[in-house]
Amino acid sequence: MKVRTRDFIYTKDDLFFASTNYIHPEDRFISFLRYIPNENGDRTKNGKKYSKVTSEEAYDYLRKNHPEYLYFCDISQVEMMGVPKNKVQEIIKPEERLSEIMNDEKERSSNNQLIDKLLKIADFFHYKAGINYKNLGISGSILPKLQKDTVSDIDFVVYGLENHRKAMETFKKFKGKEVEINKIEVINNENKKFKTNKKSEIKKITLSPIKDEYWEKVYNKRMKDSSLTKEEFCWYEDRKNNRGIIEGTLFDILATRNWDEIEGEWGDTRYEPVGIAKVETVVENAIASFDNPATYKVKDLKVLKVDKGNEKLINKVNEISSFTHTYAGQAIENEKIIAKGKVERVLKGKGQNKEESYRLIVGTTRESINEYIKLKNIP
């Protein structure tokens, strides 16, 4: 069983988890509880009702009902969620789910507006950005079939960091413009005496920037504290080009590494808590700033405030990582940023070959309370 970031795991206890890691321990998959069975829930699947849970609700639910999904991780030195491998019922993959939807709709249209919008996004990035369908997928509520058709957003996945960057550049180029796609489908004949048929379909697609009332929805969904004002949040989001609207529905362009981009194995990197601090630094490399975690290599660091820990060690931070989507793509190369979060010592390798570095983490909870990344000066 192979699981990477944005895959979902359905368990034998009727729980849905979202994977948050590329690398996992031998006995479980690092993941976060997203949907639980609830007779009063607002999601329905196979006649059963489910509800979505926040970080706090997820931990409370597991402590009370399924403590075996919680464990103290000796690698990161914190309590984490993880699905024991003997609890796995099904691994649900974004790329396979999108392929399933495409095949189902080809055979018989469901006339579902949300699915129709999803397929338009897939066609847009295939035809306009030149990304193979096998490198595209769908996560979020649509992945486990727990979407609310009139409410759910579209969490669109692009595999490969360079493919993701290409997708965002293409969205930026055509944002707000109607594009016409001539979708050609090859229909093979069983009787080889006849020529192969081709079916052509013209699609008109407009991926729009977020504006007006949609900003309110996105801001309220993402920001649970006052780290960013609505005006600041909108400024950052607008320039990222990783989020937009299609026919009234919000969509995200999410990055997940291809298998050949995933390195290392569980246990070869260890994390130790050092403290909590606020720093000022310069972004040196942001190629993985839309990954999970979003990662920024930084330089010229200055410690502004230490809430807890050793300032001498905190001053060695050379990487900022965010586990919350809010701060993905927040800054680009050579920009000066202010970041606040938990500082960790990172130990790679074993024995005499062990390498030591330090990183600051934003998003120790999904809501990222009082943790942030922002520019020192917004233009």
Side-chain angles (χ1 to χ4, degrees), residues 66-89:
H66 297 285
E68 66 272 22
Y69 288 91
L70 297 172
Y71 78 110
F72 184 80
C73 177
D74 60 349
I75 300 297
S76 59
Q77 298 292 300
V78 295
E79 183 184 49
M80 296 181 69
M81 296 181 196
V83 177
K85 290 189 176 179
N86 62 3
K87 289 282 189 177
V88 175
Q89 180 72 31

Side-chain angles (χ1 to χ4, degrees), residues 123-140:
D123 289 338
F124 176 87
F125 288 119
H126 175 69
Y127 284 93
K128 304 305 289 187
I131 302 172
N132 195 302
Y133 283 118
K134 70 179 182 180
N135 289 319
L136 303 175
I138 180 63
S139 192

Side-chain angles (χ1 to χ4, degrees), residues 255-279:
T256 294
R257 290 177 184 261
N258 269 324
W259 291 112
D260 61 2
E261 295 176 309
I262 301 171
E263 298 177 344
E265 60 184 41
W266 186 261
D268 63 1
T269 304
R270 302 178 67 86
Y271 305 93
E272 298 175 353
V274 170
I276 298 172
K278 179 180 178 182
V279 304

Side-chain angles (χ1 to χ4, degrees), residues 80-337:
M80 296 181 69
M81 296 181 196
V83 177
K85 290 189 176 179
N86 62 3
K87 289 282 189 177
V88 175
Q89 180 72 31
E90 181 186 6
I91 296 170
I92 315 170
K93 297 184 172 293
E95 69 275 29
E96 293 177 1
R97 176 76 175 111
L98 177 60
S99 178
E100 175 189 48
I101 291 171
M102 291 174 67
N103 289 331
D104 288 348
E105 291 297 310
K106 193 183 296 182
E107 290 181 12
R108 184 177 180 181
S109 175
S110 65
N111 294 315
N112 182 296
Q113 291 186 0
L114 185 64
I115 296 301
D116 182 61
K117 295 171 191 177
L118 164 61
L119 294 178
K120 285 181 178 178
I121 295 173
D123 289 338
F124 176 87
F125 288 119
H126 175 69
Y127 284 93
K128 304 305 289 187
I131 302 172
N132 195 302
Y133 283 118
K134 70 179 182 180
N135 289 319
L136 303 175
I138 180 63
S139 192
S141 60
I142 298 176
L143 179 53
K145 303 179 183 178
L146 286 168
Q147 72 269 21
K148 295 167 67 178
D149 291 338
T150 57
V151 177
S152 291
D153 300 339
I154 296 173
D155 291 338
F156 197 79
V157 181
V158 178
Y159 291 99
L161 298 183
E162 289 298 338
N163 280 337
H164 183 261
R165 179 168 281 189
K166 191 191 300 183
M168 293 189 300
E169 289 172 352
T170 305
F171 174 48
K172 179 181 179 181
K173 179 180 179 181
F174 294 103
K175 190 161 56 173
K177 301 174 184 176
E178 183 181 77
V179 298
E180 190 171 277
I181 290 171
N182 184 11
K183 188 174 181 181
I184 299 174
E185 179 187 344
V186 176
I187 305 172
N188 291 317
N189 289 306
E190 292 182 7
N191 189 334
K192 295 182 179 179
K193 291 182 179 180
F194 298 97
K195 291 183 179 179
T196 298
N197 292 328
K198 291 184 178 181
K199 177 183 175 184
S200 180
E201 178 189 4
I202 302 296
K203 272 192 175 184
K204 294 184 178 180
I205 303 169
T206 304
L207 302 187
S208 303
I210 296 176
K211 55 186 177 182
D212 304 330
E213 73 274 12
Y214 292 98
W215 280 124
E216 194 75 31
K217 179 182 177 181
V218 176
Y219 180 71
N220 291 334
K221 178 182 178 181
R222 287 289 170 187
M223 295 304 303
K224 304 301 180 183
D225 66 0
S226 58
S227 294
L228 295 176
T229 66
K230 181 183 172 185
E231 288 71 25
E232 288 175 322
F233 177 85
C234 294
W235 183 85
Y236 285 110
E237 293 300 306
D238 188 52
R239 77 169 188 157
K240 289 180 187 180
N241 296 306
N242 71 324
R243 180 176 288 150
I245 299 169
I246 179 167
E247 299 170 19
T249 296
L250 291 163
F251 68 87
D252 284 304
I253 311 169
L254 305 171
T256 294
R257 290 177 184 261
N258 269 324
W259 291 112
D260 61 2
E261 295 176 309
I262 301 171
E263 298 177 344
E265 60 184 41
W266 186 261
D268 63 1
T269 304
R270 302 178 67 86
Y271 305 93
E272 298 175 353
V274 170
I276 298 172
K278 179 180 178 182
V279 304
E280 176 183 310
T281 187
V282 176
V283 175
E284 187 173 26
N285 187 314
I287 183 63
S289 64
F290 286 94
D291 195 12
N292 187 28
T295 302
Y296 307 83
K297 297 294 183 181
V298 298
K299 61 182 180 180
D300 303 331
L301 184 120
K302 181 166 69 175
V303 179
L304 300 180
K305 184 181 179 184
V306 176
D307 289 351
K308 179 183 177 183
N310 185 321
E311 182 172 346
K312 187 176 179 181
L313 294 179
I314 292 170
N315 204 50
K316 295 183 178 182
V317 166
N318 64 355
E319 182 178 286
I320 310 288
S321 292
S322 173
F323 284 92
T324 175
H325 189 54
T326 303
Y327 296 106
Q330 193 78 342
I332 58 178
E333 284 84 358
N334 299 316
E335 290 186 328
K336 188 172 285 188
I337 61 173

